[in-house]
Amino acid sequence: QMRRGLSVVVRKGWRGKRCCSTGGSGEGIISGRNVRVLKIGNPKLRKISGRVPGDKITDSETTEVINDLLSTFVENTAGMAAPQIGVNSRIFVAKIEELTQEPIIVINPEVYIEPNSKKTLTMYESCFSIPGLIGRIKRYPELRMKFTDELGKEKTLIAKGYYAGVLQHEHDHLMGKLFIDTITNPQADLYHETEIQDNDAILEEIGLAIRMAEIYYV
């Protein structure tokens, strides 16, 4: 469903899903809590996040972090990582409609890329920690990810194309990285979001990542 929906978006004019998005003010509300998404320049976005201890994965503190992350989701959100709400724990959530209608909860992820892989995929990524900008990013087109879900169950999945890019983006947040860190030529590869919508060459590159999109558990 996500792949079909995004393909329609590309044909009509891009309004892409953000790899980490809150919309509007950068705040969400759940159970009376205000959740503010941190913006570039906040040092917590640059810290390497620590693993969640096994006996803490299902406790109330971790559940609260997950709920706060989910509260930031709006229609065009693809994912959100804990450092973006000021929590340096290895947790992120991602909207993968091909697996489930609800965002998947990823705790303590381990990402594996084929050794010596030289294949790359062009992604156009945005992030509400970096408002208004979109970067042309080279990502690995396929990955394997092991993680624990919110119930403490260990899982492994294979992701390709667009989904692989989303998971790499969110995992980077856990390593203290932002998408702009991978851009070597900002003048050529960094755009204001309004520059993307009517550029046919860019829309074709976006469409390729979407057509390659595949994800499944193993």
Side-chain angles (χ1 to χ4, degrees), residues 123-177:
M123 294 282 292
Y124 285 82
E125 299 182 5
S126 61
C127 178
F128 258 57
S129 290
I130 310 175
L133 295 180
I134 292 173
R136 185 176 187 268
I137 310 297
K138 294 295 185 181
R139 295 288 189 185
Y140 292 106
E142 181 175 348
L143 60 81
R144 175 186 296 261
M145 185 176 75
K146 295 182 178 180
F147 66 99
T148 304
D149 70 11
E150 72 277 18
L151 301 178
K153 183 178 180 179
E154 294 185 358
K155 296 182 176 181
T156 301
L157 59 74
I158 302 292
K160 301 178 183 180
Y162 168 78
Y163 295 128
V166 169
L167 296 179
Q168 288 170 78
H169 180 116
E170 299 307 326
H171 186 262
D172 278 357
H173 277 298
L174 307 185
M175 303 304 294
K177 299 178 182 179

Side-chain angles (χ1 to χ4, degrees), residues 87-100:
V87 180
N88 288 112
S89 295
R90 291 184 64 79
I91 305 171
F92 70 76
V93 295
K95 185 69 171 174
I96 309 291
E97 292 176 350
E98 195 159 314
L99 294 176
T100 173

Side-chain angles (χ1 to χ4, degrees), residues 181-194:
D181 298 340
T182 66
I183 295 176
T184 56
N185 186 353
Q187 288 187 331
D189 295 329
L190 195 61
Y191 305 84
H192 188 273
E193 56 189 8
T194 58

Side-chain angles (χ1 to χ4, degrees), residues 21-33:
S21 167
T22 60
S25 65
E27 296 180 356
I29 298 176
I30 185 166
S31 300
R33 292 171 54 82

Side-chain angles (χ1 to χ4, degrees), residues 100-117:
T100 173
Q101 290 300 306
E102 300 300 322
I104 63 169
I105 313 302
V106 176
I107 302 171
N108 296 336
E110 298 178 14
V111 173
Y112 300 92
I113 306 294
E114 180 182 344
N116 302 317
S117 174

